[in-house]
Amino acid sequence: MTADVDSERPGERRKRAQEAVSYELFRDDWGVPHLRADDALTLARAQGHATALDRAWQLETERHRVLGTSASHLGAEAVDWDRFVRRARIADTARRCFDRLAPETAAWVTAYVDGVNEGLAEGAERAPEFAAVGLAPGRWEPWTPLGVWLSTHILFAGFPTKLWREEVARRLGEDRMTLFATDGPGTAGSNGWLLTGARTATGAPIVAGDPHRFIEDPGVYQQIRLACPEFDVVGLAVPGIPGIAHFGHTGHVAWAITNAMADYQDLYREQVRRTPDGGVEALGPAGWYRAHAHTETIEVAGAEPERVEVIETDRGPVIIGDGPGAGDDAAGVAPAADGTCISLRYPPRVTGELGFDVLPALLRARTVADVDTALDRWVEPVNVVLAADTAGDTLHRVAGHVPVRPYANRLRVVPAEDPAYAWREGETVPLPRTEADGSDGIAVMANERGLAAPLGVEFAPPHRARRIRELLGADTGWTSDAQAAVHTDTRLASSRRLLSLLAWAPGLGPAAERLRDRLLRWDRHMDADSTDATLYARLRTDVVHRLAAHPALNGVTGEDDPWRSTAHPALFRPWLAAVPRIGYALESLLTVGLLPYEDRLALVAASAEAVAAAAEETPPAPWGELHRLSPWQALPGVTPDKDAIRPGVAGDHDCVLSTSGVPGVTDLFARGPAARYVWDLARREDSRWVVPFGASGVPGSAHHRDQTSLWVRGELAPVVTDWNLLHRTKPHRTAHDRTPHHRTSHRPEENPAMTAAPEPVAPALRAAVHEQKIEGFGTVRLVPVDPAADAELLHGWVTEERARFWGMAGHTLEQVREIYEFVDSLPTHHAYLALRDGVPAALFQTYEPDADPVGECYDVQPGDFGVHLLIAPAEGEGAVKGYTETLLTAFIAYVFSDPAHVRVVVEPDARNEKAIARMVRIGFELGPEIRKPEKTARLAFLTRAALGLA
């Protein structure tokens, strides 16, 4: 064996490198952060730090929303939210859940929080919102991320819909309770699909989709990459939450979710009374008992503080109605409609579990089975999950916590004192699952009444799910790039019922007949440039308003609209407004149950006449001019490019491109694709993603709005996985002088996913960083060294006499493994096995000279890139002419594939005349001899110009 290019032993750099940076932050051309660290805890800290730099105002907004202190700087409009989260005891629940985490998870979350706190001051200096409201960033607590998760998802299951059903039953009759049952304004939806290898061009699965949520500015999803020796994951993180919960790709397995539309939160009608000492009692199944009660003060910018009494019964916190005999200084609303209070029961408050132990396990997942096992501990929100791995295995299941209780609890507010409505302690509803790799090789999840049907009451109409399946079923050669055509499909299947009534509408005048003929010829696509789409939207709006004015709905419309009632907090009024409810349920209201067929025809005819007359006066504009994004901002008006965040977009609420306005109220939309993703299991670098705005939350930064044009056009940005194609920022250090929040009451083995070592992967099966076919020689592939799996192979190479210049002749197998584990942990040094036709042929190492001791021995130039090469024993050395030179050709091609690399640097032992002569033959220019502690070396340089690449 010959060591053709050698150096000091990697282990001799250990002390120097350990004193260097703790993690590295790279960014791609879209500003997406790619983080590399030595271990999972440092990486979590790095994620928190990088998020604080990019999203400081967003993090501060979320922290205040958890604590119920938003009104202190945003003013009176934030009081309703502050009152709700205080009464719902979100922060206290987060503390409880944090205290029940496995010690390893608690340390991991704490590391993330430490990173946030370290970066907030710098991040706040970049964000103009802090100065606009005179706010300084506050300190995050270890439990704050759990509070962010709770406050983000507490309304996700739509428990206020139960208030609406109660109002409908009381005003229209019990039989009308579910008349408006459909996807309502308070719920969120998503699309997701999985194609097995039988449906793709590569033969490997693809997982794709887009979460539909209220779109916030900055965005609720953060594109990110998290890499350390244990894992390397790309995905969509939630700012303020460590890891990647909902949408991720580890390189081995990918997963995605949609809202299962399950019902897992209950409202109880409570009877409460004041005790002589000022306390509160509540009536339960066993009679009256003492309830928890205390008072808090909400500071309000520009107004007097408001006091709120926080009451908690055995069911849960009281969220509607003040305590009995509350004084004038206890602000709130009147008790609920029948004079009682209403409490909220939700799983994390009951169990003290939020599911955060799942998050680090997902990062370490390598198979579908790993994802499946991790998700057994998921709690909230309840999701439908699709997953696939590189072996072709798939998963389609529901994950979360759904309590066992009577069906009536799902529908409405139930009496607290009746034991029949209690949760069955310690029991959860079995969660459905099904095969994702059926005969057609397609699995779809779009909030429809499908897999999760046994768990909920109201679901999205089936149109999106059916349309996605129809589109995917038309081909068997799907690629990652082709998924955009599914993401952006605009066919509005729910228009069928209204257009059918229009087709048979009697007695239309000439203008209305022209309108009818035009809409019946329309292709039913809500395209941005379509004026027919606008005309249809006008007709739909008019029909919604005529239904709202119909006597059949008297009691919930007009002056009797529950939205106008003071019986419920203003925060819940979007769920209680009749016109949006009619708009979302229009398809079902025009089908059966509400009006006779003749009345429906007459109503649509009247609308056609009105819309036709208006169209004669004012021709419809293209749909995209009206259907514009209107995102939520905590502090509107600070961002200077207001028009840039209100682009016109195609789609509608029942399209696959679900850009959901409020039919009958506005064509603007606030809910839509909060991100889009495509996870390719054949080649992760062929994956794609996009968000509505950009990677940065800082107004005016280069990456604040740079993805908006892609998002509007339905295009996707590449997921870059080659570190050499990324832009490295300045190194970052993290302090390690704080003790993680461990608790001795938990044992580490309770969370084996935190410590389980990944299974070794044979070199030939690893993803290559470079592949090159050389005529007459074979295919050369460079794959990363796996220190554990490759230690025996490398030990055999480096300890032979012919490798004496490598400097590791006397090392044991364990020492060799430790050295390459250390090299693997460095962000500036890398080790690769070179495979010739799948067989290990050489050890190839790269390094950045300014991060290596050699950098102290010569004047390092910008673009210098160091390499070491050890040729394995091979019959090829003698049997194949120019064996080593041919391998070197492939290695140099890899190095110069990165335009940032200008000059290759080598430093063979000055005594290794054979290696030096080979370098000269290839084109290296010899430099001076340098003295290093372990050897005297001869520098040599190969420039792009010498190879004609300049």
Side-chain angles (χ1 to χ4, degrees), residues 104 229-231 360-361 363-366 370 748-749 751-759:
E104 300 88 346
E230 293 181 77
F231 51 80
L363 295 178
R364 292 174 169 84
R366 299 175 70 87
D370 294 339
E749 54 268 32
N751 193 4
M754 294 293 298
T755 56
E759 296 181 5

Side-chain angles (χ1 to χ4, degrees), residues 741-759:
H741 292 241
H742 293 283
R743 292 173 307 287
T744 57
S745 60
H746 291 273
R747 300 189 305 274
E749 54 268 32
E750 290 180 6
N751 193 4
M754 294 293 298
T755 56
E759 296 181 5

Side-chain angles (χ1 to χ4, degrees), residues 413-434:
V413 183
V414 294
E417 69 278 9
D418 190 336
Y421 299 102
W423 290 11
R424 286 162 59 174
E425 186 174 354
E427 294 188 41
T428 59
V429 176
L431 299 177
R433 62 173 61 228
T434 189

